[in-house]
Amino acid sequence: MAVLRPAGEFDTSYAYDMATIRRRWQWAVLFAFLAALYLLPLYASQGLVALVNRIAIAIIAVQGLNLLTGYTGQISLGQAAFMTTGGYISALLVNRLDWPFYFSLPAAALGAGVIGLLFGLPSLRVKGFYLAMATLAAQFIIPWFVRNAYKDILNGAQGINVRAPVLFGLEFNNPQRYLYLSLTVLVVTTIVAHNIARSRLGRAFVAIRDHDLAAELLGIDLFRYKLQAFFLAAVYAGLAGALAAHQIRHLNSETFNLIDSVTFLGMLVIGGLGSSLGPILGAIVVELLIEGATLIGPFFISVFPATAAGAVQALRPLFFGTTLMLFLIFEPRGLAHRWQIFKAAWRLRPFSY
Amino acid sequence: MNWQLLPQMIATGLLAGGPLALMALGLVLIFKSSYIFNFAHGQLLLLGALITWWLAVPRGLPLWLAILLALVGVAGLGLLIERLALRPMTGQPLLSIILMTLGLGQVLHGLALLLFGGAQRNFPQLFAVANPYRITLPFLINGNPAVIILKQNLVWSFIIAILGVIVIGAFFRFTHTGLAMRGASEDHELAQSIGLRIHRIFGLSWALAGVVATVSGVLLATSSGLDLSLSVTVLAAFPVVLLGGLESIPGTVVGGLLVGLSQGLVSASKVQLVRNAAEIMPYIVLLLVLLIRPEGLFGQKRIERI
């Protein structure tokens, strides 16, 4: 779809043409929204703040997945395994070596990225189903390693307790305080992801997604760019995993599991592949769905007592799976695409085209 | 290596390969006819076992009737899935189809949990549990005669699984419908243009996959009990499919036996860490296959053109 600009607005400079946020009122709306988010602890309940935390962490993981799956077209079922990697690295550095959080977080990102590179290696030879399987292998091998290797440090299947991060003398030990941390990381990572996508790197990614052989003939180094995409996705997963681990304060091999990886892919599709708005919308919708299932659960049990205690756990995959399937059938380009259509319609109003 | 245990572990590993092959068969069936890799096979298998259990235990039907009804039920479910979920996806990109089967798996998982609950259940025994088969090998290890003990239910599961693979393989090879399925998998449009009703063929292969899933679900439930984690067992069959080749029915048997054998060999190790690696052995095999020979042992190598 061509970019529709309102009448009377002219691109007088290159910078203005490329700007993501173009008008002054858009900046104002953005800052008002961010301010409302940052001030959330002042007026919202603890439950809502915790939910926003979860959404923020999910968005970070899905932004990374979007770079790999949405832009580069490589399917990954291993995002949760890289979160486990990042979570353990940061937790151990803080717990054992007393590293400050602002060092352990980048270390977690980098460590997860390196592991991501390792499991991205098969992508050079295989794609599609085969690649999904290769990343699925990560989803089994990494948790197995955590359960069985170095039991004195990793503490096997029981997992480890994680300290709350301390930054500049402030301990982030409740959801309200943690919100500042996760929101800040979220804002930075989203800006970075958005700009990677429209840089030289992002254009190479898109070329590989659209036709990898053709991209190679154009001189795009598949080896380099595919591995970079895997690295970036795992870095984002590492950040998200570290943030989640320090928030939950406990970590074991099943904290982030295969279902989470599938959920991230679902968020990406529901939000819209290949747009930095997609992961945000998708993560919000899916987390709200899961939250809704948790709320409806007790009511559901009172109406159908036969289903008993499993109902809440049953409703989550049911809601999520149904939504994912409906989106795949009726709007495979996701909510971000819907939003584009809506914006275009608004600009053309009262004409239909 | 624990030589004393080695023959036993090899035998158990090979026997475990039978059910693995049967699970892989369900995946290959759908892949062969419609070029879809079904990530929801595990949940299909779980539902088959749960329906059998529900008919046989709370309803009190005889076991053979329960299995028969479950076979019909899950075959119907397969048809329904093809019609409602996969047919709209015809011609969609691979990622969408993969996600469709993943989403389908979530829905089926939720349904299973909602309808049957998550409790661990005792599945009625198909085969006698007592007096396992004892085979004395004709050589000595450390001065003792080597004896292999084989549980009856494992042996019979293995035999049924291998029989199932042979029957389905013969169906593909010798029947008219099987030929039509093979034709449809080659090229959907070409198959349509010579008058094959490919949607009916896809539906049939999903129904068949439902039947195979139920059989393997029942076999697994008799040997390892029945709870929701049964669906995860199928993930160990993915490496089998890749090792054998995505299009190959004999490949499922060879792949199943090799993966089972690799697990058995690792279990015979003396080092605790290596022994524990038995559970991830399939995935290590998978990574090796992907790196060395991505098309598998008997799969077709696809050449891409621009």
Side-chain angles (χ1 to χ4, degrees), chain A residues 92 96 148-156 160:
Chain A
L92 289 175
R96 299 243 154 195
N148 289 295
Y150 303 108
K151 280 201 170 153
D152 47 334
I153 303 174
L154 298 173
N155 203 16
I160 52 176

Side-chain angles (χ1 to χ4, degrees), chain A residues 182-203:
Chain A
S182 47
L183 277 182
T184 309
V185 178
L186 170 65
V187 170
V188 173
T189 51
T190 302
I191 293 171
V192 171
H194 181 75
N195 284 309
I196 285 176
R198 55 196 199 136
S199 65
R200 177 190 176 87
L201 192 58
R203 287 192 296 276

Side-chain angles (χ1 to χ4, degrees), chain A residues 312-322, chain B residues 103 105-107 109-111 113:
Chain A
V312 180
Q313 272 90 42
L315 287 179
R316 285 181 191 177
L318 209 55
F319 277 22
F320 166 69
T322 316
Chain B
Q106 291 289 298
V107 170
H109 180 85
L111 275 180
L113 202 54

Side-chain angles (χ1 to χ4, degrees), chain A residues 125 127 130 133 144 148 269, chain B residues 37 99 246 276 291 294 304:
Chain A
R125 293 205 58 180
K127 53 188 174 184
Y130 296 89
M133 306 279 182
W144 175 85
N148 289 295
V269 167
Chain B
F37 196 91
L99 275 162
L246 272 170
N276 284 345
L291 283 173
E304 259 188 280

